[in-house]
Structure formats: C-alpha cells, structure tokens
Amino acid sequence: MDTRDGFEERLRKARERKGLDRAKHSQQGLPGSAAIGFRAGVEVVSALIVGVGIGWLLDRWLGTFPWLFLVFFLIGGAAGVLNVHRLFNPRTRPKDPAEAGPGSGSKDGSSAGGGRRQDD
Amino acid sequence: MAVEGKTIDALSQFELAPALGPIGASVNFTQSNLFMLIAAGLILALMHYGMRPAAVVPGRFQALAETFHEFARNLVVEQVGPEGRRFFPFVFTLFMFILFGNMLGLLPFAFTFTSHIAVTFTLAMIVFVLITVVAISLHGKKFLGYFFPEGAPIWLAPIIIPVEIVSYLSRPVSLSIRLFANMVAGHVMLKVFATFIVLLGGLGAVGPFIAVLPLAVNVALVGFEVLVAFLQAYVFAILTCIYLHDAVHLH
C-alpha cells in the first residue's frame, strides 16, 4: 500500500537528504585513511620489533653480533610487508578450505564443530 | 598538578600509585589493579542484575546486557563460523574487559589500565597462547604447514619459513601496541589541551576568551575518545576472532 504514493521512495530520499542514512556508510568507511595508515604502521613496526628481538637474542647467545641481527632485521621487514599485504587482502584465505583446503585437517575441524553446534 | 612551572606534564597521569592505603602499598596493589577490579565488578553487576528479570520485553539494563551479548556473539559466529561458538565466552570476556577499561579511563580521576603495555601485552599473549594451543590440538603436526604455504617452490623455504614465523610472532605485539598506543595518544592529547586551557586562562584579560578554543577542542576530543574506546575494544575482539578462525581452519 505504501507503493501507491511512493512513500518508501520519498522517505528514502528524505532520509538521504537529511543525511540520516549516511551513518551506515560512514561506519563502513570508519577506518579512514589515517586509521588504515596507523594499522599498517603498527603491523610493520611490530614485525620489525620481533625480528630485531630474535636476531639480537640469537646474536647474544651465539656471539655473532651484528650478523644475525642484520639478517633478522631484513626478515622482520619482510614479515611486516607480509602483514600489511594480509591487512589489505584478508578475504583470500577463507576461500582456501572450500576449494583447496589441505584436505582432512580443516574438514575434520569444521565437521566436529558442526556436531558440537547441534549439541548446543 | 598538571601545570608545574608552566610546563606541560602529560605523562604523569600514567604513573602507578599504591591504592587502598597501607594495605595496598604493602602488596603493591596499584590504582591500575583497582580499576581492573572495578571494571570486572561492573561487568558482573551489569550481567547479573541486568539479566535477573529475564523479561520478554527487556528493561534498560537487560537491553544493554543483551545488546553486548548479541554483538559479541555475532562477531564470533561471523568471523570464526558456527563451530567457533565455543570460543564465545573467551571473546566476550576479553571484549567487555577492554571496553570497560577504556570507558572507565575517560571518567575524571579514573585510571586507564589499558594504557599500559604490560596489561595489553598480557591480554594479547593470552590470545596468542590460546590460538596456538587450539591450532596444535586441532591439527597436530599439520600446524607446521601453516608456516609454509602449499605449492611454493621448495628452494624458497629458507626465506618463507622465517618470514612466516616472524609474522606469526608479531601478532601479539601488534595487537598490544595498537590498543596501548591508541589509549596513550588519546589521553595525552586530552591532557595537553586541558593544560592549554589553564595556561591561556591565566593570560590576563583576553586569556579566558582564547582559552575557549582549547576547551572546544577538548569537548570534541572526549567524544572522539569514546569512539576510540569502543573501536579499539572492537578491533581487539575482531582480530582475536580472525586469529581463532585461522587456528580452527588453518590455512
């Protein structure tokens, strides 16, 4: 009955005009460019911290000071880039179990979980 | 206190001090611990007294409790999948604890325990240990395959495996740094602009009029901090769920 006078359509337009529907959009785009930049920065820095930490500890243990430190500095940087890559391409992974799921492992996990779900 | 000798002292708000008088001092019970207990008590009170009526048409507190519950459950089910429901209590506890910690920190005279990396790193390590244990117990030796993607040329293994391991180990670090840095940055900004108000306010006749500007900034910042407090609790919970998804499905 609402379609008769196009009420829904007019309501939608009015809401758009008043900016009432934009809340949804702004929430989706909430991680603005600054926030995304911050997240990427944190990923790189934390990977570097871990890499440098491992390298420094191994060096202290083996007494080979700058070498392993330098190697793990580079590895940490690479891991940071990998983290950022995963940050921007997160949805390539859930496809895996469906198509090439390394077989029984993940299948077992999901089916066992499914069984447990029915118990709930 | 904040303004001593006309300098900006934005970091003293994060200093720990013994709480609860001499008893607290003798066991090193700080105000950080006190606010953790307050947060836990508030969560328990909300859940207990909110859900006690268990009405079909919920009252205010029941609606709040149910909203939080439903929010966290949707988060877990969407990210981990239906079989992830057994992790719901863990994620819900974590989310509520961080959310209440962040929000309590915004009240005057309160202490933000999530602004200490010792706290956030401990929380992140709990998540890290959990996802590792879950992955190993579900998949056993296949867990090691996580560090070497299938189909990659074998001669790349010496490069890929260390990089993947470092990337995996950097999870708790990035998780904790993100929360800690956001809370510290927000509170430092609040304190800096609050100090501006005091400093400018004492600037003769025109001072109070100029001091309105940082006051306006602070009003906006408090609103922004409420958003950040919620958002960071949400981010911590959703990343926990994503890691749990990886641990359960392993690829």
Side-chain angles (χ1 to χ4, degrees):
Chain A
M1 66 179 95
D2 284 333
T3 52
R4 186 185 51 193
D5 52 356
F7 174 74
E8 291 293 334
E9 181 67 13
R10 280 189 293 133
L11 179 66
R12 195 180 58 76
K13 274 187 184 156
R15 288 180 71 90
E16 238 169 49
R17 205 164 49 236
K18 292 284 182 189
L20 284 173
D21 284 341
R22 209 177 302 150
K24 205 194 282 175
H25 286 283
S26 73
Q27 261 187 355
Q28 280 172 352
L30 197 66
S33 38
I36 286 194
F38 180 75
R39 281 191 65 183
V42 167
E43 294 289 347
V44 172
V45 167
S46 56
L48 273 177
I49 288 174
V50 171
V52 165
I54 291 175
W56 188 75
L57 285 177
L58 283 179
D59 266 342
R60 212 175 62 156
W61 179 41
L62 300 171
T64 52
F65 185 62
W67 302 113
L68 283 175
F69 173 81
L70 291 176
V71 168
F72 273 90
F73 183 80
L74 293 180
I75 288 173
V81 174
L82 184 68
N83 283 348
V84 173
H85 173 76
R86 287 194 176 142
L87 185 65
F88 290 114
N89 305 294
R91 286 296 152 195
T92 51
R93 291 144 141 225
K95 265 187 230 152
D96 288 351
E99 54 185 35
S104 48
S106 61
K107 288 269 162 62
D108 281 351
S110 57
S111 64
R116 230 161 261 155
R117 175 171 52 120
Q118 287 172 344
D119 290 347
D120 289 346
Chain B
M1 188 172 70
V3 189
E4 282 174 26
K6 304 222 166 183
T7 54
I8 298 175
D9 179 18
L11 292 176
S12 68
Q13 58 176 323
F14 301 116
E15 272 170 20
L16 291 172
L20 297 185
I23 303 169
S26 61
V27 291
N28 252 341
F29 187 86
T30 62
Q31 83 272 51
S32 176
N33 303 113
L34 179 66
F35 276 94
M36 285 181 205
L37 285 183
I38 292 176
L42 283 178
I43 296 165
L44 285 177
L46 173 68
M47 284 301 147
H48 183 249
Y49 292 108
M51 291 317 290
R52 199 164 53 173
V56 179
V57 180
R60 290 193 193 104
F61 283 107
Q62 192 186 341
L64 185 64
E66 283 180 0
T67 306
F68 279 136
H69 182 277
E70 201 172 311
F71 181 77
R73 198 196 50 201
N74 288 344
L75 195 67
V76 175
V77 172
E78 271 172 33
Q79 295 297 328
V80 193
E83 70 272 24
R85 244 181 242 182
R86 66 193 123 151
F87 301 117
F88 166 74
F90 175 72
V91 176
F92 184 62
T93 311
L94 205 57
F95 172 71
M96 293 300 275
F97 188 62
I98 295 172
L99 178 67
F100 272 66
N102 292 350
M103 288 291 185
L104 275 178
L106 287 173
L107 300 177
F109 303 109
F111 183 82
T112 325
F113 59 79
T114 45
S115 66
H116 276 208
I117 192 137
V119 176
T120 60
F121 190 68
T122 308
L123 291 172
M125 276 314 283
I126 294 171
V127 172
F128 181 73
V129 170
L130 177 81
I131 60 171
T132 310
V133 168
V134 164
I136 289 176
S137 66
L138 279 182
H139 302 285
K141 253 188 252 167
K142 284 208 187 79
F143 171 66
L144 295 178
Y146 184 84
F147 297 110
F148 190 70
E150 268 184 278
I154 198 76
W155 57 270
L156 273 177
I159 302 173
I160 289 180
I161 290 174
V163 168
E164 287 280 357
I165 289 176
V166 169
S167 169
Y168 188 74
L169 291 178
S170 76
R171 282 173 169 188
V173 179
S174 71
L175 205 54
S176 55
I177 288 182
R178 189 176 300 118
L179 177 57
F180 143 83
N182 269 289
M183 297 324 288
V184 167
H187 284 258
V188 165
M189 286 221 304
L190 281 176
K191 191 65 163 261
V192 165
F193 279 100
T195 315
F196 281 167
I197 300 173
V198 179
L199 288 179
L200 286 172
L203 202 69
V206 286
F209 297 101
I210 309 175
V212 168
L213 295 174
L215 180 64
V217 171
N218 241 2
V219 170
L221 268 180
V222 169
F224 185 67
E225 281 307 303
V226 172
L227 177 73
V228 168
F230 179 78
L231 202 64
Q232 288 307 314
Y234 172 70
V235 165
F236 202 98
I238 201 169
L239 283 173
T240 304
C241 289
I242 289 173
Y243 295 158
L244 278 171
H245 175 269
D246 280 1
V248 170
H249 299 285
L250 200 67
H251 36 73

